[in-house]
């Protein structure tokens, strides 16, 4: 590989160098078979081995109990905004949602046509600058499930643990922080995550679902939207995203060799602290999130002088610090610090921010 840029994009995101190098080696000649990794047959012995290893490695990384199934499905996280209520709630039932920003809002909007959405807690009155304190959640013990977005990629707020919802199944969209810290999977009824941030290529979703919840699917749901059907077919009810699953498996292997999610958590805190320290010591940069809810994965920030934004981005690009422009819904800047972002990348950005302010502040 040539000189490596630091890609701070929110997803599709930076991938581990070791994984990219492995993919490059097998792009044209997969395991010496004489065909490309893109041509990997999903009925081949190779793919059966890949799928089994990927599931086993993910189960080990997250300590997934045997009560939960692991699925590799198409389409990223967004289809599960609808699949969750279709599979876990009967028509007329209600579900509790914790409203923490853009993606939890999207999940609620999609689910509202399929289930009675109750907002059990919201940070809207503080412009989503925090995760609502658990003590203030108004949960319904008769709800079909409680839904959270464990890390808001755009707003930059993150839960600091696994909330207790009692006997009501907890459902979490973990698209942007899965594999970045240990989690108590047994506390969740269902976890779903788009792969394109901490796992692999876009277009793949990981689902971890508790076995007893498979029976809740409502009548009339198309087979391809039934979690139970995908469990029955071992993620192969329709042709799986074989290449994406292979790459995901390489990432799981890489994370295990690098120390697992405990080590990822340690490094993620260190990376985020470097950026937040540069912001907090500054009179030019602003982060609006309460410190206790600040995301380790996505750090949004704004310049007090918006006229300097393009100059900041241009200077960053010249230094190989890429894709720092904020989401179109918010503007400003955003640095995504997923697992594949090395500590040196966070340090390089923090140094550049300090230098830019010295010259332009």
């Amino acid at each position: 590989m040539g000189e490596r840029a630091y890609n701070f994009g929110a997803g599709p995101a930076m991938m581990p160098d070791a994984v990219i190098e492995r993919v490059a080696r097998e792009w044209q000649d997969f395991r010496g078979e004489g065909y490309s990794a893109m041509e990997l047959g999903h009925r081949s012995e190779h793919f059966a081995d890949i799928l089994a290893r990927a599931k086993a490695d993910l189960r080990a990384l997250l300590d997934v109990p045997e009560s939960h199934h692991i699925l590799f499905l198409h389409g990223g996280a967004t289809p599960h905004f609808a699949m969750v209520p279709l599979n876990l709630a009967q028509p007329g039932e209600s579900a509790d949602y914790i409203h923490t920003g853009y993606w939890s809002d999207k999940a609620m909007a999609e689910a509202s046509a399929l289930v009675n959405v109750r907002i059990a807690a919201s940070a809207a009155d503080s412009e989503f600058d925090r995760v609502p304190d658990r003590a203030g959640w108004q949960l319904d013990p008769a709800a079909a499930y409680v839904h959270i977005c464990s890390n808001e990629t755009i707003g930059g707020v993150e839960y600091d643990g696994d909330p207790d919802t009692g006997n009501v199944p907890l459902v979490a969209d973990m698209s942007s922080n899965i594999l970045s810290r240990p989690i108590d999977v047994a506390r969740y009824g269902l976890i779903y995550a788009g792969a394109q941030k901490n796992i692999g290529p876009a277009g793949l979703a990981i689902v971890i679902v508790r076995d007893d919840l498979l029976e809740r699917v409502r009548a009339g749901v198309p087979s391809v939207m039934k979690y139970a059907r995908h469990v029955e077919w071992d993620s192969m009810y329709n042709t799986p995203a074989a290449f994406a699953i292979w790459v995901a498996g390489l990432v799981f292997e890489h994370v295990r060799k690098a120390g697992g999610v405990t080590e990822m958590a340690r490094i993620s805190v260190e990376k985020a602290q470097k950026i937040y320290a540069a912001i907090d010591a500054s009179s030019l940069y602003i982060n609006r999130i309460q410190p206790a809810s600040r995301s380790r994965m996505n750090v949004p920030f704004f310049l007090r002088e918006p006229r300097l934004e393009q100059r900041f981005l241009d200077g960053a690009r010249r230094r190989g610090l890429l894709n720092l422009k904020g989401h179109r819904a918010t503007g400003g800047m955003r640095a995504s610090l997923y697992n594949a972002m090395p500590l040196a990348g966070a340090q390089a950005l923090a140094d550049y921010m300090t230098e830019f302010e010295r010259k332009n502040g």
Side-chain angles (χ1 to χ4, degrees):
M1 295 176 65
E3 187 175 350
R4 183 74 153 113
Y6 295 121
N7 179 7
F8 292 92
M14 194 168 185
M15 293 280 289
D17 287 350
V19 172
I20 292 176
E21 291 164 4
R22 174 78 178 273
V23 172
R25 286 198 305 271
E26 301 194 23
W27 183 256
Q28 291 184 303
D29 189 6
F30 176 77
R31 295 186 177 180
E33 292 288 345
Y35 57 77
S36 170
M38 279 291 289
E39 300 171 313
L40 177 62
H42 69 290
R43 300 293 182 190
S44 67
E45 291 183 7
H46 283 312
F47 184 72
D49 175 65
I50 286 166
L51 182 60
R53 285 176 180 270
K55 288 174 64 176
D57 280 351
L58 183 58
R59 190 173 292 277
L61 281 167
L62 295 180
D63 195 19
V64 178
E66 292 300 320
S67 56
H68 289 61
H69 302 280
I70 295 174
L71 298 172
F72 295 84
L73 304 180
H74 299 81
T78 297
H80 301 276
F81 297 166
M83 288 178 71
V84 166
L86 286 173
N87 281 268
L88 301 190
Q90 295 299 312
E93 288 189 323
S94 67
D96 286 347
Y97 280 71
I98 310 303
H99 191 198
T100 49
Y102 186 94
W103 288 110
S104 55
D105 190 67
K106 290 282 190 182
M108 290 191 299
E110 187 73 13
S112 64
L114 302 166
V115 68
N116 296 324
V117 170
R118 291 183 66 254
I119 300 178
S122 175
D125 60 353
S126 61
E127 298 183 346
F128 301 112
D129 69 344
R130 70 194 71 191
V131 173
D133 185 74
R134 173 64 184 86
W137 295 11
Q138 301 297 311
L139 297 179
D140 178 4
Y145 58 86
V146 179
H147 182 283
I148 66 171
C149 178
S150 63
N151 182 77
E152 288 280 0
T153 316
I154 295 172
V157 298
E158 183 178 17
Y159 288 74
D160 65 358
D162 308 307
D164 184 0
T165 56
N167 293 325
V168 179
L170 177 61
V171 174
D173 175 357
M174 290 192 180
S175 294
S176 50
N177 65 351
I178 194 168
L179 292 184
S180 71
R181 65 174 176 87
I183 57 175
D184 184 0
V185 175
R187 186 167 284 187
Y188 295 85
L190 189 146
I191 293 167
Y192 63 95
Q196 68 274 15
K197 302 173 189 298
N198 267 332
I199 294 175
L204 177 69
I206 306 299
V207 174
I208 303 172
V209 57
R210 204 172 71 207
D211 182 72
D212 64 294
L213 298 181
L214 299 175
E215 302 173 358
R216 291 193 178 193
V217 61
R218 65 180 69 184
V221 174
S223 293
V224 76
M225 299 191 74
K226 293 180 179 178
Y227 293 127
R229 182 57 56 91
H230 291 293
V231 168
E232 177 187 353
W233 285 74
D234 194 18
S235 301
M236 294 179 63
Y237 179 63
N238 60 337
T239 303
F243 176 78
I245 293 170
W246 173 58
V247 177
L250 298 181
V251 171
F252 300 155
E253 180 182 333
H254 170 79
V255 173
R256 291 194 71 181
K257 290 178 178 178
V261 293
T262 300
E263 180 64 7
M264 296 301 103
R266 184 191 69 78
I267 296 172
S268 71
V269 169
E270 192 172 352
K271 289 186 293 188
Q273 284 177 340
K274 289 184 179 297
I275 309 304
Y276 287 121
I279 293 170
D280 292 342
S282 164
S283 60
L284 178 62
Y285 308 111
I286 306 167
N287 174 270
R288 298 169 179 166
I289 306 305
Q290 294 296 314
S293 294
R294 281 174 164 177
S295 171
R296 300 163 302 123
M297 298 287 100
N298 309 98
V299 182
F301 60 96
F302 300 85
L303 276 65
R304 294 183 188 275
E305 296 288 342
R307 62 183 177 80
L308 295 175
E309 287 185 357
Q310 192 58 52
R311 187 183 301 175
F312 178 90
L313 291 170
D314 291 343
R317 172 166 284 279
R318 287 193 294 271
R319 289 163 175 78
L321 309 173
L322 307 183
N323 297 317
L324 284 163
K325 188 174 183 179
H327 191 271
R328 62 186 180 278
T330 59
M333 308 294 159
R334 176 175 51 171
S336 294
L337 306 172
Y338 303 125
N339 287 349
M341 175 61 64
L343 187 61
Q347 185 65 64
L349 176 58
D351 291 344
Y352 169 64
M353 292 170 69
T354 301
E355 176 190 341
F356 184 86
E357 180 172 11
R358 186 171 63 249
K359 293 180 176 179
N360 298 277

